[in-house]
Amino acid sequence: MTSVRRTVSLIVLCVLASTLAASAEPGTAWHIVRPGENLHMIALLYLGAKDRWPELARLNPEVQDPNRLEPGQRIRVTLPGGADTPAARVARLARKVEAQPTPNPWEDAQQDDLLLDRDGLRTFPKSSAEMAFADGTRLLVTESSLVFFQQTGRQLQGVDRKSVEIVEGQADVEAQPAADRPTRPVPEVEIVLGPARATARPAPAGGTRARARRVDAGSSKLMVYGGEGEVEAGGAKVTVPEGMGTSMAATGPPTPPEKLLPAPQPVSPAAGGQVACGNPRFRWNAVPDAVSYTVEVCRDPSCGALVERAVGLDKPEWRAAALPQGDLYWRATARSGSGLDGYPGEPVRLTVTSDRTDLQGPKEVLAIEGPQVLVADALWAGPAARATATKVDPETGEPVTRYLTQSPEELGAFAAQLAAAAGGLASTAVDGCGNAGSFQPFGFTMDAQAPEISWEVVALQDFPNRRRGARKPKGLSWSGGARWEPLEVGVPVSIDSDAPQLLLHGARFDLGDEEESPGENQMLRIRFRDAGAGVAHLRFQLR
């Protein structure tokens, strides 16, 4: 784009309003009629000759008399496309934007309106506008800004310049060499900031990119991102190289140029990511020496159509209130202690798939999958078990389970980590909207040692039956406590018991290399011990 000298307030475009008037046909725009104008005068202004008024009459069949036009009436005009067209076109606008086609009063601006010398443009909160000039220069005016155009398309001091006055607010100016006319010089842009005058000049082999802001109490800022700047105020003149900025008080000279902060690097949402809510949380890396941040969400990569904007953030994160569905772009900018904006971040594309609000963080529950036993209130897990975490977010998705361990070594280390955390794990889960939730308290002990089993032949008289009504053992029988139960050969027996021993009566036992045949008054005592979880279940059978 081509550089232009204008006074402008920081431009950040908002989401295109749904109530915009119909734009002009391709290659045409809207001229707002001023008092005393007729089609002859308008033809001279845009087509270079009064006698070309019939061309305008054909574009505006509703005009009955070329000499009788009403102030404020919109006339469709053809734009020849030359760099000297003395008008700036409203290329985009969002929400409430007003224009003052001097000397007419302020009125709602429409897309493709043309503004001339001494015309004004103002944006309201959460509103924005992008102005386009025929030579390719762009002026982006952000919310709560007031700008006026001066000497547009004329020669200023012998140099091709455009001039804009920023009364309040902020504007970005961008100008690059025209692709169809690369040899044509890139215009300079003059920016009037109260008593200060700033000039944005293109680089020798490039264009101009600068930001100017008029702040409280009449002070102002100039940041140069591409090309070179110059500021004259308080009887002094300062050159501002690319990558630097300066401040001007209401009176007095500009401050020495200082280096601009680098662009913050985006963290989330990541490029090309999706968010399933209209209030996602944005995060970016902190920039050293930054005292605050500005974040912008836009409809386009150049941020010409602003959707949301937050200023003065003291942390590198921000949560939107309500974004619309669709493809959007976001970026963050760091601000230094002197109030200068650093380089804006590269735009990051994201897709908002739902405009509903999600404020609830996900709940993530830890669990053990595989061999385990609960003894009293203590959970014991075998070496073949695995630890899992299940994230449940009723707002934005179905439960999702992930494995935290895959081997006995990992399971043991995870158990030790939980024990060190006093029974809970201070980990977090984050959903697609940036809501964080913590693990519920959880603890377990890994039991990697199998139970120990020992046996011996003992005399029946050593185990008197103390339970009333219990019979003495007869034939094949077993007891895990005081009562004897019949035992059939080949039939599996399962018991759940924490008793330390099991008694078997009336059978021959193979004890490894030797055989034991307890007599009538003898039995086999089997002891089972486990130093970890204890024995919860025993299964046996005779053959």
Side-chain angles (χ1 to χ4, degrees), residues 518-531:
E520 174 88 17
N521 296 317
Q522 291 181 316
M523 58 186 173
L524 185 70
R525 176 169 68 180
I526 301 176
R527 287 176 172 159
F528 39 89
R529 297 183 178 87
D530 188 82

Side-chain angles (χ1 to χ4, degrees), residues 221-258:
K221 311 285 181 182
L222 176 70
M223 288 70 66
V224 179
Y225 306 122
E228 181 183 78
E230 183 180 85
V231 177
E232 184 174 359
K237 185 180 293 186
V238 172
T239 298
V240 184
E242 180 176 328
M244 304 191 78
T246 184
S247 302
M248 291 77 70
T251 59
T255 61
E258 63 178 83

Side-chain angles (χ1 to χ4, degrees), residues 122-140:
R122 65 184 177 192
T123 59
F124 288 74
K126 300 299 181 181
S127 304
S128 62
E130 176 182 356
M131 305 301 300
F133 295 80
D135 58 12
T137 302
R138 288 195 320 145
L139 182 67
L140 303 179

Side-chain angles (χ1 to χ4, degrees), residues 7 21 71 84 88 190 206-207 281 298 316 370 393 407 440 516 530 540:
T7 308
D84 295 329
E190 181 183 65
R281 192 183 303 274
C298 312
D393 188 1
S407 67
Q440 295 181 353
E516 287 287 348
D530 188 82
F540 68 96

Side-chain angles (χ1 to χ4, degrees), residues 7-291:
T7 308
V8 185
S9 52
L10 168 62
I11 74 161
V12 181
L13 298 182
C14 289
V15 185
L16 295 180
S18 59
T19 57
L20 292 180
S23 16
E25 296 175 357
T28 67
W30 299 107
H31 171 79
I32 303 173
V33 176
R34 325 299 165 96
E37 286 187 331
N38 55 36
L39 283 190
H40 305 83
M41 300 170 64
I42 298 174
L44 176 63
L45 180 64
Y46 293 103
L47 305 180
K50 292 183 178 182
D51 57 8
R52 295 182 64 179
W53 70 266
E55 299 178 34
L56 299 182
R58 285 191 292 271
L59 288 174
N60 301 273
E62 72 281 1
V63 176
Q64 301 298 317
D65 186 342
N67 294 310
R68 298 187 64 179
L69 302 177
E70 294 295 328
Q73 181 179 355
R74 281 179 168 79
I75 298 296
R76 184 179 287 116
V77 298
T78 302
L79 293 179
D84 295 329
T85 300
R89 181 175 61 88
V90 180
R92 302 185 189 186
L93 76 167
R95 299 190 176 100
K96 187 170 179 58
V97 179
E98 292 185 343
Q100 185 184 42
T102 306
N104 295 358
W106 289 95
E107 60 181 64
D108 289 339
Q110 294 185 10
Q111 188 169 336
D112 292 320
D113 277 352
L114 295 172
L115 300 183
L116 306 173
D117 293 348
R118 295 176 296 280
D119 287 352
L121 182 78
R122 65 184 177 192
T123 59
F124 288 74
K126 300 299 181 181
S127 304
S128 62
E130 176 182 356
M131 305 301 300
F133 295 80
D135 58 12
T137 302
R138 288 195 320 145
L139 182 67
L140 303 179
V141 183
T142 195
E143 61 178 348
S144 303
S145 299
L146 173 61
V147 302
F148 285 91
F149 301 92
Q150 299 180 354
Q151 297 143 327
T152 307
R154 299 178 185 174
Q155 298 292 316
L156 297 179
Q157 302 176 5
V159 180
D160 187 10
R161 295 180 180 175
K162 289 181 172 62
S163 179
V164 179
E165 179 182 3
I166 301 178
V167 179
E168 61 183 37
Q170 175 179 294
D172 288 354
V173 176
E174 295 186 14
Q176 298 294 332
D180 56 342
R181 285 172 296 177
T183 59
R184 184 184 180 95
V186 177
E188 293 184 358
V189 180
E190 181 183 65
I191 305 171
V192 180
L193 300 158
R197 288 183 176 266
T199 303
R201 299 190 179 96
T208 298
R209 184 173 171 227
R211 173 174 293 179
R213 181 168 66 248
R214 189 91 188 275
V215 295
D216 297 337
S219 60
S220 53
K221 311 285 181 182
L222 176 70
M223 288 70 66
V224 179
Y225 306 122
E228 181 183 78
E230 183 180 85
V231 177
E232 184 174 359
K237 185 180 293 186
V238 172
T239 298
V240 184
E242 180 176 328
M244 304 191 78
T246 184
S247 302
M248 291 77 70
T251 59
T255 61
E258 63 178 83
K259 187 176 181 180
L260 301 178
L261 296 177
Q265 297 303 307
V267 175
S268 63
Q274 293 187 350
V275 293
C277 64
N279 61 322
R281 192 183 303 274
F282 294 85
R283 292 184 174 90
W284 53 92
N285 288 332
V287 175
D289 300 326
V291 298

